Structures are given as C-alpha cells and as structure tokens.
Amino acid sequence: MIHIVTPDNESFYRDEMDQAYRLRHQVFVEELGWTDLAKPDGRETDQFDDEHAVHMLYIEHGQVLGYQRMLPSTRPHLLSEITPELCDGEQPVGPHIWECSRHCVAKGHREKGRFATPIANALLSGIVEWGLPCGISTAIIEIDTFLLLRLVQLHFRMSSLGLPRRMANQDVVAVKATFDWRTLERLREMRGNRRRVLADSVARPALLEAA
Amino acid sequence: MQPRAIRNSLDHTLAFIRDLDRARNLEDVSAQVMRYVTPFGVEHMVASTIPRPQSSRKEQLGHLLLNRWPEEWANRYASRGYLAYDATIRRLISSPEPFRWNELGPLVQDNPNARRVLAEATEFNLKEGFALSLRTLDKQTVLFSAGGRHTEMSSDTQGMLTLVATYAIGRAISLKQENVPDAPIILSAREREALQWAAEGKNDWEIGEVMSISEHGADKHMRSVRAKLGAINRTQAVAEAIRRGLIA
C-alpha cells in the first residue's frame, strides 16, 4: 500500500524514510547514473526534502519498494529550479498543481505480470486518490519520452510543457498530466481491483487538508 | 530555434495533438499525422507493434496502428521475410532512443541481408527519415518510422514529432481496442460453476468444497478461466465474465 509521509507523521516512519532515501540513491545514482546526486552515505536527499514535500512510499511487509515525492508548484520545485529548460513558456503554477519527482520502483519489482508493474500503477493511483479529495487535479511530470505513451494510455490528459531534451542519456519531456475519476477508473481497471491504494495514515497529514 | 519560435511551433503541435481526439478511426489518425509531417518532407510513415519474425503479411497487417507505408514495399517486405533483417527494428529493440535512418549505415556494414533491405527501401522513396519506439502498458514495443526522399528535421522537429507520434499511437491503440469485437469465449460447465462461486467471494478451498473437488482442482479451473478471459487475477476474470454475460 501507499503510505503518505509528511512532517505530521514522519516520526512514525523513520525507518521507512531511511529506506526511501536509500532506494532513491540506488535507482537514480547507481542505476541511472545521475552522479550529481551521489551521497557518501548512500541516501539521496536534496533541498526539496523539506517540510513542504509529500512523500509517497509503497511499502510491502516493511520494505519500501516504490517511492515518489510530490512538491507544490507554488514553491520552488524541480521544474522551476533545476530543469527550467524543459518548459518552453510559462511555468504552470497553482494550488491544484503539484510536481511528481523521484518516481521509482525497486529493482526486481518492475514489469511483473502482463502489465506494467503493479507498484508503478499503485504509485500513480496514489497521486489520484490523494489529489482528488483535496482539489489537486494536475501533476507536473518529467518523463522519458519512451514511457510517455503509458501515461496517455492511463487516461491522464497530457499537455507537453516543452520539447523533449536530452538529459543524462534519456530523452526527457515535462508534461502537465491532468487527472479525474476516469483516470482512477482506468488505473483500477488496469490493476484488476478497486481497492484503495492509500493506507490509512498513522497521523492525518494536515498539510493535505490545507492544500 | 529561438525560444519564441519553439513556443509557437509547440503550440501548433499541441493544437494538432488535441485534434487527434476527434479521430474516429485509425485512418483518421494516419491522415492527421500525415498532415503534420508532410511539411518536413515526410512521404511515408508507419506505426506498428512488433510481429514475429516469420509472420505472414496478414499477421503483420494486424500489428499496424498507423499506415502510410508504400504498399508494394510492405508486400515484398513480408513475402521475403525482411523483418528478420530490418536494421531499424534491431536498432529500436536494442535502445529506445529515437534515431535518424542514416545512422543505420554503420550497423549493417557486416550484414549483407540487412544492407539489402535498407537499399531496396530507397527504391520506394524511403531514403531519409526518423524512427522511435514507445512502450505500451501491456509491455509491447511500438515502432514508429517516418521518412521520404528528402526530409528537413531539426532536433526540435524530431522532439515535436516524438510528441505527435506518442499521442497518435495512444489514440490509435484506444480506437483499435474499441473496434475489436470480442472473440467468443467458451467456458466448460465446471469452469463456469467455479467462476460463479468465485464471483460470490469464495476462495479456492471453498469452491473445492462446494464442487466436491480438491482445492487444487478448483485452482486449475480458475487458472483456465483466467487464461481464457485474458484476466490477470480473479477479480478481473469475474468482471470480464459478467461483462460478457458468461455468468450472472
């Protein structure tokens, strides 16, 4: 299930957050070779892992197998600070727009079964289940163009923010992906069940209510 | 391109992509993509999932999503089994990065068959072009290739073309799925009975009990049902069977 970690409940998730930062290091530094992010302690963290970040952890039997981070577009985020060249034109900003970054699934847990990994599906479902009740309808996603088709097929309504650019051996494009209940239905259909992916949080993330 | 020029052509591209939603069939999608690519010198384009190397022309046709490929070339390609030697496909399977056709030259140097396929393609005006691959939700690879006698494609143009191809292929896949009539599925009486119990929430052990067979036997029936319905799990099998009217 997906657990949402914010400052309100992070004290309950010390170990899982430590695993999440290690997972980020394994995937982005060691596998994808984003050496700029390398850290001597093997935990990838950056300036955006602050009190405004909403961490989404896919946890199975205490193991963090998937991760992504949501940042409000109204504050500094990757597209505004790190990769503005992916946006040809005005940056999308608003309380209903959050950026999804560091989306990853642990090695050995991808591409299971007939469909793209259920963990990636759960993470995307997590964005929609979390977003819809608090009025968030749009995610900024920076994605390899090779995988863009999958988001289109999942009924995210997509609008490219710029042209694909070559970055760290990938062709990356920034998109605004708008979602609604149809997206949620589609994700459930692909997953083969209608269960909620979000776990009941240990502590209710107050930040979401404010958003 | 200057930032302003990029923004303008991106806006043009996005408007084009929005229009793809109005396409009613695969033919509409192909026509729309051709309208977009013709100004860059593209005369032919194709998008397809990858058929088996020895597949017939008919089978290869079933994999097509977008088609503006020279027909005579497609027929020759299928009848002579060129799929097995096609450097474009080999290149796209080995790495997902988009590429220009002229980058294939060095890859076919040591392979006369592959060289011949590329050379013969030029007889059908397939001389310069651009190809890319995409990954679908059900883990298939879709190839997209477009070109002509002489193309004008900057790297920015290639980027826009990547976006257009992605959305066009997404639209084509969804239209294709809507239009395929369901092949009839026949469940055995025992399979239907097991599925009916599963629909009522019984697990394999319970199904075995009510049907007086082993848990293993119940599991076997359910596996067969899932395979026939193309379902990844029991819930999906039940939903699909209800949709098809196989169980109540």
Side-chain angles (χ1 to χ4, degrees):
Chain A
M1 293 206 93
I2 305 284
H3 294 252
I4 293 182
V5 181
T6 65
D8 298 284
N9 63 359
E10 69 178 350
S11 56
F12 298 100
Y13 285 100
R14 286 277 150 75
D15 171 57
E16 288 87 350
M17 280 308 295
D18 190 60
Q19 288 187 50
Y21 291 131
R22 284 171 185 273
L23 176 63
R24 278 166 51 169
H25 203 276
Q26 276 156 21
V27 172
F28 295 102
V29 179
E30 289 146 46
E31 264 188 74
L32 291 176
W34 298 6
T35 45
D36 295 354
L37 304 180
K39 289 278 160 58
D41 67 352
R43 290 167 181 80
E44 191 273 305
T45 57
D46 63 15
Q47 69 267 41
F48 304 109
D49 293 308
D50 60 14
E51 70 274 25
H52 302 285
V54 171
H55 305 275
M56 295 190 180
L57 283 61
Y58 180 94
I59 305 175
E60 218 174 82
H61 307 299
Q63 298 279 314
V64 177
L65 300 177
Y67 173 87
Q68 71 202 355
R69 175 180 66 184
M70 306 301 295
L71 299 174
S73 65
T74 50
R75 296 191 42 84
H77 54 286
L78 272 75
L79 188 68
S80 69
E81 309 302 307
I82 311 288
T83 52
E85 67 272 26
L86 288 177
C87 187
D88 296 302
E90 240 172 272
Q91 294 255 348
V93 172
H96 61 292
I97 306 174
W98 284 58
E99 180 187 67
C100 173
S101 58
R102 300 287 192 268
H103 172 99
C104 60
V105 176
K107 211 174 179 170
H109 296 271
R110 301 168 196 157
E111 308 275 320
K112 275 196 185 163
R114 220 174 98 208
F115 295 102
T117 160
I119 300 181
N121 179 310
L123 285 165
L124 291 172
S125 304
I127 300 178
V128 180
E129 281 185 17
W130 159 82
L132 290 180
C134 44
I136 295 165
S137 60
T138 300
I140 298 168
I141 302 176
E142 294 166 20
I143 185 172
D144 192 318
T145 54
F146 181 57
L147 298 173
L148 189 59
L149 178 60
R150 287 186 172 171
L151 287 184
V152 174
Q153 287 189 285
L154 285 169
H155 297 185
F156 282 90
R157 282 198 310 286
M158 314 268 282
S159 179
S160 308
L161 296 169
L163 285 179
R165 301 266 175 227
R166 192 103 194 121
M167 307 176 92
N169 281 322
Q170 285 180 294
D171 283 306
V172 181
V173 64
V175 296
K176 224 169 60 174
T178 302
F179 48 83
D180 56 24
W181 58 270
R182 281 169 296 194
T183 320
L184 192 58
E185 278 303 314
R186 176 72 171 162
L187 284 159
R188 286 169 168 167
E189 183 192 332
M190 297 313 292
R191 205 165 62 225
N193 70 62
R194 306 181 51 81
R195 284 190 289 277
R196 244 172 97 76
V197 299
L198 290 185
D200 291 326
S201 292
V202 177
R204 181 113 190 105
L207 192 95
L208 302 189
E209 282 153 16
Chain B
M1 264 196 260
Q2 294 301 304
R4 195 175 181 82
I6 291 183
R7 187 64 234 178
N8 286 342
S9 40
L10 186 63
D11 286 341
H12 166 74
T13 304
L14 295 179
F16 230 92
I17 287 169
R18 279 193 298 276
D19 282 347
L20 284 169
D21 285 338
R22 289 211 293 266
R24 286 284 145 258
N25 51 48
L26 297 183
E27 183 49 37
D28 286 353
V29 182
S30 291
Q32 176 75 352
V33 174
M34 282 312 285
R35 269 196 291 282
Y36 183 83
V37 295
T38 306
F40 307 118
V42 171
E43 297 165 79
H44 298 287
M45 62 99 191
V46 66
S48 172
T49 48
I50 306 178
R52 293 181 303 117
Q54 303 307 329
S55 56
S56 67
R57 169 82 176 125
K58 189 164 170 259
E59 231 175 291
Q60 295 189 7
L61 278 173
H63 285 263
L64 282 177
L65 291 165
L66 306 176
N67 185 18
R68 281 290 187 282
W69 216 229
E71 201 178 339
E72 197 189 333
W73 171 235
N75 285 332
R76 184 193 292 187
Y77 185 97
S79 64
R80 300 193 184 167
Y82 284 173
L83 187 68
Y85 310 112
D86 190 337
T88 312
I89 292 181
R90 219 174 270 192
R91 162 64 183 73
L92 282 173
I93 292 171
S94 65
S95 149
E97 281 165 45
F99 70 96
R100 301 274 193 113
W101 292 353
N102 62 20
E103 291 167 34
L104 290 173
L107 295 178
V108 299
Q109 249 167 11
D110 305 326
N111 187 334
N113 285 328
R115 225 171 35 231
R116 195 175 73 224
V117 174
L118 282 191
E120 284 185 28
T122 65
E123 295 166 24
F124 296 88
N125 294 339
L126 301 171
K127 289 182 178 148
E128 289 180 16
F130 170 73
L132 58 89
S133 66
L134 299 166
R135 202 86 157 121
T136 69
L137 271 183
D138 52 0
K139 300 196 296 190
Q140 298 203 62
T141 301
V142 179
L143 309 174
F144 174 84
S145 196
R149 275 163 291 187
H150 177 70
T151 56
E152 303 253 358
M153 285 190 215
S154 65
S155 60
D156 289 340
T157 307
Q158 288 180 32
M160 306 228 198
L161 190 51
T162 303
L163 298 177
V164 170
T166 303
Y167 292 101
I169 288 165
R171 185 75 189 128
I173 291 174
S174 93
L175 285 168
K176 203 173 174 183
Q177 284 165 349
E178 282 168 25
N179 292 338
V180 174
D182 291 334
I185 286 174
I186 297 159
L187 299 180
S188 73
R190 298 296 268 171
E191 285 165 355
R192 195 164 43 241
E193 188 181 352
L195 186 59
Q196 188 76 57
W197 288 118
E200 284 168 33
K202 297 209 185 302
N203 63 29
D204 285 345
W205 183 84
E206 292 163 330
I207 294 172
E209 285 296 296
V210 292
M211 290 177 67
S212 308
I213 53 176
S214 66
E215 182 177 357
H216 176 72
D219 174 63
K220 226 175 103 188
H221 286 314
M222 286 307 295
R223 261 174 212 276
S224 162
V225 164
R226 283 204 303 274
K228 285 184 179 177
L229 291 167
I232 49 172
N233 56 32
R234 167 182 298 251
T235 318
Q236 206 184 357
V238 168
E240 184 62 19
I242 292 172
R243 189 182 75 75
R244 287 168 173 268
L246 294 171
I247 55 171

